[in-house]
Amino acid sequence: MINRLLVANRAEIASRVFRTCRELGIETVAIHSDADAHLPYVREADHAVHLPGNAPSETYLRIDLVLDAARRSGADAIHPGYGFLSENAAFARAVIDAGLTWVGPSPESIEAMGSKIEAKRIMKAAGVPILEAPDEPTEADLPLLVKASAGGGGRGMRVVRSLSELQTEIEKAQAEAASAFGDGTVFVEPYVERGRHVEVQVVGSNVFGDRDCSLQRRHQKVVEEAPAPGLSDEVRAALHDAARKAAEAIDYRGAGTVEFLYDPATERFWFLEMNTRLQVEHPVTELVQGVDLVELQLAAAQASWTMGWPDPPRGHAIEVRLYAEDPANDYQPQSGTLTTFEIPVENGIRVDAGFETGSTVSTHYDAMLAKVIAHAPTREAAARKLASVLSRAKIHGLVTNRDLLVQVLRDPAFLRGEVSTDFLGRDAEGAPQRTLDITTPAVAAAIALAEQAKAARTVQRGIPVAWRNVVSQPQRTVFEEATVEWHGAYSVDGHTVVAAGPDSVTLETDGVRTTYTVAVHGLAVDVDSARGHVRLTRVPRFVDPAEQVASGSLLAPMPGTVVSVAVEAGQTVSAGQPVVVLEAMKMQHTVKAPTDGVVTQIDVKAGAQVAAGEVLAVVEEEG
């Protein structure tokens, strides 16, 4: 019997495992790096052990430190979560050799599926269809996909559309895979342009339903749902049978996922990989099948426990991954403090979060903030409910993909079930958008700021807030996004101020009243209402010249490490040409020349640590 469980992971997945442990009466142990010390999961655990440092290679990936933490805390079992060491056969063996209970499949099963190359060989022998690329690809074989053999989560994956780019993309994938997984082995397979990513949940060799995880960016999942929509009974049965064969071929134990690429045009499917762990998207299966997959993992690890069985599928569940990233800027990860992080939890809504208001999102780990899941009788109802909850969430301090997720959930093509792995890369029909005029939230923000100034005054308290000694001139508040002017006691053209306070303003516009809540953090002003969220930036009246940067400066979009510098000072470059490659949050990001010009300055070199906004290089436009 497991009495005290250590989760060899962090953030959301650690909190998720702890929740089931509390229900079962099992004590919990968290491990945390320096950067994670104040995250919620550390506080939720019964015991916590500090791993000095921040980089995964010096903390969560150190098998010796994890086992020492188990020894010091008195843990008798280890759950690996997902990512980090969760699919590391050497770690599983070390846990077992230390006399601890390993909550996962056997090391042999992990090893068999750990190499995607070896996994394909085993699946082919078991009669499961696989994708195979020719040894000597030609233009007719394009597009191709380069994949990391030991990888996952979209890292070490590159789409190749020209044979001339193949070797370069292989080298990039190798470098990314070596950094993320310690193994730079890659392979090439055909790339199905509009295929669907369909996976089957297994516990042992028993099937617990299927999921669709086709909506992805950078080959990482963004929206997942269960059951997979639009499959015929024949295709669904064939997928389940193939997953069962895959599990039986490696004598699988515990929870795992068999992933397939499905082509709706031909109704054919091929084995992609088997994840020998719990999946990020497991909540949609739990809600539809009526099971707790973490509990089943614990049951499989303890022979004295009886395995549960799933109920028939009930309704539909959709999950979105809320990331700290900027979709409008090539999905660049964001780091910093979440000044407000509030997601409504209502009937049929589940939130699995790793962060809370005040949490700091570091550059050392994945940028996922939370998973938000809706369960409803129908797929359309689940999508509508989830979009509503996301649109009403208050998320301040960092740019996120929230608006993109809402748009996807309301997109007619998505609602018809027309999903594929290239959905976010092609022109969708566009979701019906609520009109969001930035001017009106700016008016509310300006009035709230004036009310805050009024409350903070220590003199002239009785004088109206909008009073000016030059009555012919309006009061003016300047944001980077808009300028607001008014006369007298909040007389703003087109708007009637119904109520005003330091953090809430009600405006009547065209006969419609709307209340706006306003939160101020330094120069950032966040305005939330039923119309959506607007983030404004106040323009300071006086600017320190030392804070200005030269025209043409290329700034680091986030804190990170310089992987390589692709140009030299004095070199002529063209628009879009790579200048510097950064690595942050497990991904490589290329900073490109914004225009044709000459590199007049290089301020960094490979291996350097840079802060967000730091000047990397200067490219002066020709002429």
Side-chain angles (χ1 to χ4, degrees), residues 560-565 580-583 603-610 614:
T561 302
V562 176
V563 176
S564 62
V565 179
V580 175
V581 178
L582 294 178
E583 183 173 284
D603 290 346
V604 295
K605 59 183 179 181
Q609 298 288 322
V610 296
E614 185 173 331

Side-chain angles (χ1 to χ4, degrees), residues 378-418:
T378 66
R379 183 174 183 270
E380 183 178 356
R384 183 184 294 115
K385 179 183 294 186
L386 188 51
S388 174
V389 164
L390 286 171
S391 66
R392 289 182 282 116
K394 292 184 178 180
I395 307 169
H396 304 162
L398 295 176
V399 177
T400 73
N401 65 336
R402 184 259 302 272
D403 291 343
L404 173 67
L405 296 173
V406 172
Q407 185 175 352
V408 167
L409 293 167
R410 290 174 174 164
D411 191 284
F414 173 81
L415 293 174
R416 290 195 300 268
E418 297 173 3

Side-chain angles (χ1 to χ4, degrees), residues 94-357:
V95 171
I96 295 169
D97 291 344
L100 304 174
T101 298
W102 166 250
V103 183
S106 69
E108 292 73 25
S109 294
I110 296 174
E111 216 157 42
M113 294 294 102
S115 164
K116 292 182 175 62
I117 297 173
E118 176 64 11
K120 282 193 170 190
R121 185 193 66 77
I122 294 172
M123 292 302 104
K124 185 176 182 179
V128 179
I130 64 170
L131 278 171
E132 294 182 280
D135 295 331
E136 299 285 340
T138 65
E139 292 287 342
D141 298 312
L142 296 173
L144 296 168
L145 182 65
V146 183
K147 297 179 69 174
S149 179
R155 287 173 280 277
M157 293 181 69
R158 300 274 172 167
V159 177
V160 180
R161 302 185 183 278
S162 168
L163 287 181
S164 63
E165 300 174 353
L166 180 58
Q167 187 57 40
T168 299
E169 294 303 309
I170 286 176
E171 291 171 1
K172 288 180 180 178
Q174 287 172 331
E176 206 165 72
S179 174
F181 314 111
D183 183 347
T185 305
V186 300
F187 64 96
V188 179
E189 67 183 20
Y191 180 62
V192 180
E193 283 282 5
R194 294 202 169 180
R196 284 176 53 185
H197 192 131
V198 179
E199 57 190 36
V200 179
Q201 176 70 55
V202 297
V203 179
S205 58
N206 300 307
V207 171
F208 279 63
D210 47 72
R211 301 183 286 257
D212 188 289
C213 307
S214 299
L215 265 75
Q216 305 175 5
R217 65 24 169 179
R218 285 183 166 177
H219 310 294
Q220 290 181 303
K221 301 165 187 174
V222 179
V223 181
E224 300 111 343
E225 55 185 309
L231 299 182
S232 67
D233 292 342
E234 292 76 16
V235 168
R236 199 179 304 275
L239 281 165
H240 290 191
D241 184 59
R244 193 176 293 109
K245 288 180 180 177
E248 290 173 346
I250 58 171
D251 191 24
Y252 196 75
R253 182 191 69 193
T257 297
V258 187
E259 303 192 358
F260 298 94
L261 183 63
Y262 169 63
D263 182 1
T266 62
E267 292 198 322
R268 297 177 62 197
F269 62 84
W270 303 270
F271 171 84
L272 282 177
E273 62 183 350
M274 183 175 184
N275 292 131
T276 53
R277 54 170 169 80
L278 195 66
Q279 290 281 86
V280 177
E281 58 272 22
H282 74 274
V284 291
T285 294
E286 292 185 323
L287 293 173
V288 169
Q289 301 291 158
V291 297
D292 181 331
L293 289 172
V294 174
E295 182 177 357
L296 294 184
Q297 286 186 297
L298 296 170
Q302 300 175 94
S304 59
W305 283 18
T306 303
M307 288 284 287
W309 299 100
D311 296 331
R314 181 177 61 86
H316 200 91
I318 302 177
E319 171 184 291
V320 294
R321 301 190 191 188
L322 186 63
Y323 283 100
E325 66 182 16
D326 186 359
N329 195 16
D330 196 28
Y331 299 98
Q332 284 188 350
Q334 308 291 299
S335 60
T337 301
L338 282 166
T339 52
T340 305
F341 192 60
E342 301 173 0
I343 303 173
V345 179
E346 304 168 350
N347 184 39
I349 294 294
R350 169 174 161 178
V351 179
D352 287 10
F355 297 84
E356 62 187 358
T357 296

